[in-house]
Amino acid sequence: MEEDIAEIPHYKYYFATFKELEDKVDQIELLSDVIGVVTIVQDLEKSTLNSRITSCRNVTIKNVENKELQVTLWGHKTDLFDDNVLKTLEGPVVTIFTSVLVKKSLGKPRLSSTTSTLFFVNPNIPKVEDLKTRFQEDVKTIKFLPSAITTQSSLNEEKKENRKTLVKLLEIRPKSTKDMRFTVKAVIVDICEKDGWYYMACPNCMPPVSQADVSWWCQKDSFINKSPLAWYKLNTIISNQTGKMRMMIYGRVAEYLIKEPCIQLVTNHVNQDKRKFPQAIIDVIGKYKIFQIAFETKAIDNVAICKKVFDDETSEATNNRHRLSPPINPKTPDPKVSVNQR
Ligand SMILES: [Zn+2]
């Protein structure tokens, strides 16, 4: 930490406001620097990042507007952020995190460290003094919390939040509830083959890009000089005792469900029919999960989008007995057709 502090005068910061962070959600090319007073430091925990188990630590900071923001440090960044050192410091403790990625969780922006993230504790710059003065009375000490328990309990709450039966969800199919989330316990019984299982996405704004000579074309950004991302897009049918519903699963959410990065499956699947599903995708059919769903208006339709997937421990062992319809395996493609499409 001390070495990092010594380097500080050489770095030029642009601290993002919370409004600016909201605008950058999930745009991996746009990294931000943030500054805030540390209010909560949680214990180390294990979590999955890009399908790998890694250590992480959640830190909560408050900005000058008195708003809280959570920063998740991943991998070896967690070792560097030493809570034993922080415990010796007198509050308020101001920290800068550089090059963080902005994600969204429960409607709020949430920051995640990247390989280029650095952090500085109480560096000697005027902004730090301003924050210290501002929070002199309010944040005298940092709260050190055990992580596993708090994270697990909030996860469990989220899992149960706004739980609906499928039939109820179909009935309300809300038009004016863009920011509302519902949870439902159901099985994926089918994935539409016609739509394929992935597309090439613009790295800035995520919609599909099309190949234009040597470059790629995005409707919003026109020509892009970065490589597009392979992005899952699964048009699924979910079902339970009460009904059936169409639900889209995209990107990272699908990655969590399939447990394989999309690019990995695409690479293994090269030269094969895009509509033929890899086994890892077929494997998600027929298992009970808890899906967190939001409704978004696309074109004229109101589409159910899966925002999160939770494992349902209570039914893991009984999936087979409870299965309502047999999983529908995508048909084996006609070899002649595959040849033609190469
Ligand atoms: Zn774009």
Side-chain angles (χ1 to χ4, degrees):
M1 254 186 233
E2 272 158 358
E3 279 171 31
D4 288 339
I5 293 167
E7 286 171 19
I8 199 144
H10 306 295
Y11 195 95
K12 236 194 182 314
Y13 295 97
Y14 176 73
F15 296 120
T17 64
F18 279 26
K19 177 72 195 71
E20 285 165 329
L21 293 177
E22 293 241 10
D23 296 339
K24 287 185 178 181
V25 166
D26 283 336
Q27 298 190 33
I28 58 166
E29 304 296 325
L30 300 174
L31 299 176
S32 302
D33 300 336
V34 288
I35 186 166
V37 171
V38 182
T39 54
I40 303 168
V41 174
Q42 288 181 270
D43 275 350
L44 283 179
E45 62 184 297
K46 297 282 175 204
S47 191
T48 40
L49 178 70
N50 301 330
S51 314
R52 274 189 293 273
I53 304 274
T54 179
S55 56
C56 73
R57 187 197 287 286
N58 289 321
V59 178
T60 307
I61 57 169
K62 250 184 190 182
N63 75 351
V64 71
E65 296 149 39
N66 202 24
K67 284 186 181 152
E68 286 200 319
L69 187 68
Q70 196 166 62
V71 187
T72 306
L73 301 172
W74 295 97
H76 82 280
K77 307 281 173 200
T78 57
D79 310 332
L80 300 170
F81 201 83
D82 190 344
D83 50 349
N84 289 322
V85 174
L86 290 171
K87 279 173 189 164
T88 65
L89 301 175
E90 280 190 27
V93 175
V94 179
T95 307
I96 291 172
F97 296 95
T98 73
S99 308
V100 288
L101 175 66
V102 191
K103 298 179 173 223
K104 204 165 191 173
S105 164
L106 288 175
K108 283 191 281 183
R110 189 185 168 128
L111 307 177
S112 208
S113 73
T114 64
T115 48
S116 5
T117 296
L118 293 174
F119 51 80
F120 306 99
V121 177
N122 289 335
N124 190 15
I125 61 169
K127 202 138 191 161
V128 171
E129 286 314 311
D130 294 349
L131 275 164
K132 281 192 166 213
T133 316
R134 164 78 179 76
F135 290 101
Q136 196 60 53
E137 291 307 313
D138 302 345
V139 191
K140 281 190 175 133
T141 53
I142 300 174
K143 271 186 214 156
F144 292 90
L145 296 179
S147 69
I149 305 154
T150 48
T151 314
Q152 196 54 46
S153 68
S154 69
L155 203 67
N156 282 338
E157 268 167 38
E158 200 183 338
K159 204 160 142 179
K160 286 186 220 135
E161 202 171 62
N162 233 342
R163 182 66 64 86
K164 295 274 185 280
T165 61
L166 262 183
V167 72
K168 191 76 204 162
L169 216 50
L170 284 165
E171 209 179 283
I172 45 182
R173 192 172 275 270
K175 280 223 156 52
S176 56
T177 52
K178 203 169 147 274
D179 297 320
M180 274 187 85
R181 304 283 170 100
F182 304 89
T183 59
V184 67
K185 181 175 158 181
V187 183
I188 296 176
V189 288
D190 195 13
I191 305 172
C192 178
E193 285 171 56
K194 187 168 64 84
D195 292 3
W197 50 278
Y198 76 96
Y199 69 88
M200 299 312 286
C202 170
N204 301 326
C205 62
M206 298 331 281
V209 289
S210 48
Q211 183 119 40
D213 288 330
V214 288
S215 177
W216 294 84
W217 174 266
C218 163
Q219 288 241 318
K220 198 175 142 218
D221 304 322
S222 63
F223 285 106
I224 52 167
N225 48 14
K226 297 164 203 151
S227 303
L229 303 168
W231 203 241
Y232 283 121
K233 180 193 175 189
L234 303 177
N235 182 353
T236 72
I237 303 286
I238 57 167
S239 166
N240 66 16
Q241 286 91 337
T242 70
K244 274 189 181 183
M245 187 174 75
R246 188 171 293 283
M247 178 185 79
M248 301 301 299
I249 315 179
Y250 293 101
R252 302 263 179 259
V253 182
E255 205 166 278
Y256 179 83
L257 182 70
I258 297 161
K259 299 190 167 59
E260 292 265 13
C262 188
I263 186 66
Q264 183 86 40
L265 291 196
V266 172
T267 312
N268 297 347
H269 220 68
V270 84
N271 292 334
Q272 296 203 47
D273 185 347
K274 191 178 162 186
R275 288 169 302 180
K276 190 188 160 213
F277 289 24
Q279 190 58 41
I281 296 181
I282 297 170
D283 287 346
V284 306
I285 297 173
K287 287 182 186 131
Y288 263 105
K289 295 281 170 187
I290 290 156
F291 300 104
Q292 188 190 67
I293 294 170
F295 289 90
E296 288 176 15
T297 310
K298 298 239 162 123
I300 46 163
D301 218 4
N302 207 15
V303 187
I305 315 263
C306 181
K307 293 292 180 182
K308 252 183 201 183
V309 180
F310 304 97
D311 287 326
D312 180 42
E313 294 84 2
T314 58
S315 62
E316 275 310 300
T318 53
N319 271 335
N320 290 331
R321 274 190 286 133
H322 281 247
R323 191 180 287 160
L324 291 166
S325 350
I328 301 156
N329 289 316
K331 288 175 227 94
T332 315
D334 183 339
K336 275 175 261 161
V337 176
S338 304
V339 170
N340 289 343
Q341 278 174 347
R342 264 170 214 182

